Amino acid sequence: MKKREYAAPWIALIVGVYFIFLKDVFNDAALYLLAVLMVAAALISPWTARKLGVAYSAVTGISSGVLLFIFAVLGLIRYLLAL
């Protein structure tokens, strides 16, 4: 694997840790769950990428994108139910 392929898990890890601090800004406990899942996805992605024989960034991008999409849909549902 090339050195630049190691950047994707670190970026996902940084974003996941950043969500922990956003919890206080948005006052939403669901961000803790998102943070834990993003950090877990970042830590598991190198192992999964090696097992599948694909680039780290592919696994990290897909897992992070799916998590963010799921939480966006759940946030929209929560908003619509609060109306």
Side-chain angles (χ1 to χ4, degrees), residues 1-11 55-57:
M1 296 283 167
K2 298 176 185 172
K3 276 194 166 187
R4 68 174 177 249
E5 291 181 2
Y6 290 106
W10 286 106
I11 292 170
Y56 293 175
S57 58

Side-chain angles (χ1 to χ4, degrees), residues 22-55:
L22 283 179
K23 187 266 176 200
D24 295 330
V25 174
F26 294 115
N27 199 18
D28 188 6
L31 287 177
Y32 278 136
L33 178 61
L34 178 59
V36 168
L37 292 174
M38 290 284 288
V39 169
L43 294 176
I44 293 173
S45 66
W47 176 79
T48 307
R50 270 188 251 126
K51 188 165 180 86
L52 296 174
V54 297

